[in-house]
Amino acid sequence: MLCAPEQHRLVRVLDRQTELTRGTEYHTGEKQLIAANLDTLFITSSCNNDFNPARLERYLALAHDAMITPVIVLTKADQTDNPDTYVDQARVLGRDLEVVVMDAKTDDIAALLSPWCGKGQTVALAGSSGVGKTTIANALTGGDAATQAIREDDARGRHTTTGRSLHRMNSGGWLIDTPGMRGLGVAEVAYGIDATFAEISELAEQCKFRDCEHETEPGCAVQAAIEAGDIDPDRLKRFKKLKRENQYATETIAQARDRYRKLGKVYRSATQKKGR
């Protein structure tokens, strides 16, 4: 917002530079806004049972589609004998993808994340409950918000952050803290999915048939890459699943918006006739 402090008034609302949304509100035709005007999204996961490549890919697709730089932050490195295995699994989820691994209880959190937290930068923390987002937020802002331990049986966390909030970081940037999200639908993010699975989407352009499903079609470049060991077949499965979900959700949103437009015309027409 553009304000005039001396007059204590709002001049105008500025246009959003970026919008991070998830596709959940299909019945209204609107996607749910997670955060706006972000430069970087810290996608947090932990080195335990919470680590889920499919969920990380969803966050990556949303970030790429919004033209926001994604950084995967792996916490609880002290709770595994080999954190490098988690780092390796995370790095294959994107080209030149930044992956930071940390023990959220140490004093080097701010230093590890400093490249993205400078003056004029806005970042957001996203990920499941219990992965250490509040601990990271405290380290970046100097705050003292309470944290909660994870459940021992499934490594799932309890909600500590229950609403979105904006905080000034000690480094001069701004931090948006978000609640843990287990449901993360996608809609209208075709570009983001292709960017997340670039090694697949680029090869798909070389397939013999434009509508290739990358299954048993002759001349499928993607299947040839799988046979050569260049593409993980599980990545292809997750790519196709996200593509199907995105197509369905996008069509549903379009239908809902069309329905609301038609209803709006009916209401306006009825109002005009009533006023005659």
Side-chain angles (χ1 to χ4, degrees), residues 40-43 51 53 56-57 59-61 63-64 68-74 86-101 116 195-197 235:
T40 304
L41 177 67
F42 290 140
I43 306 170
F51 186 86
L56 293 176
E57 287 164 346
Y59 277 113
L60 289 170
H64 284 307
I68 297 168
T69 300
V71 176
I72 293 182
V73 179
L74 300 178
Y86 292 93
V87 175
D88 293 340
Q89 291 180 71
R91 281 186 174 147
V92 299
L93 301 181
R95 290 177 182 165
D96 302 319
L97 179 61
E98 295 283 358
V99 179
V100 178
V101 62
W116 304 279
T196 300
F197 297 86
R235 279 272 285 177

Side-chain angles (χ1 to χ4, degrees), residues 55-217:
R55 185 169 65 243
L56 293 176
E57 287 164 346
R58 286 176 177 267
Y59 277 113
L60 289 170
L62 298 181
H64 284 307
D65 202 81
M67 300 299 179
I68 297 168
T69 300
V71 176
I72 293 182
V73 179
L74 300 178
T75 64
K76 306 184 188 297
D78 58 310
Q79 297 184 14
T80 178
D81 294 332
N82 192 1
D84 288 341
T85 59
Y86 292 93
V87 175
D88 293 340
Q89 291 180 71
R91 281 186 174 147
V92 299
L93 301 181
R95 290 177 182 165
D96 302 319
L97 179 61
E98 295 283 358
V99 179
V100 178
V101 62
M102 65 176 62
D103 172 0
K105 295 181 181 179
T106 63
D107 297 329
D108 61 350
I109 295 175
L112 288 171
L113 300 180
S114 61
W116 304 279
C117 300
K119 186 176 181 181
Q121 297 294 302
T122 303
V123 304
L125 283 167
S128 303
S129 299
V131 297
K133 295 195 303 297
T134 301
T135 301
I136 295 172
N138 286 343
L140 294 176
T141 64
D144 58 357
T147 61
Q148 296 193 51
I150 62 173
R151 298 198 302 251
E152 296 296 335
D153 56 344
D154 59 3
R156 284 191 173 183
R158 303 170 178 85
H159 285 289
T160 299
T161 303
T162 57
R164 294 167 183 83
S165 53
L166 180 68
H167 308 270
R168 181 188 292 275
M169 293 187 287
N170 296 332
S171 57
W174 292 89
L175 167 71
I176 298 176
D177 197 7
T178 67
M181 292 178 286
R182 292 200 180 107
L184 198 67
V186 296
E188 299 181 320
V189 291
Y191 170 80
I193 295 173
D194 285 341
T196 300
F197 297 86
E199 79 279 18
I200 297 176
S201 58
E202 290 175 2
L203 273 178
E205 297 294 326
Q206 303 175 25
C207 290
K208 181 177 181 179
F209 300 104
R210 182 175 298 179
D211 58 349
C212 183
E213 295 292 331
H214 315 307
E215 293 179 354
T216 59
E217 297 90 344

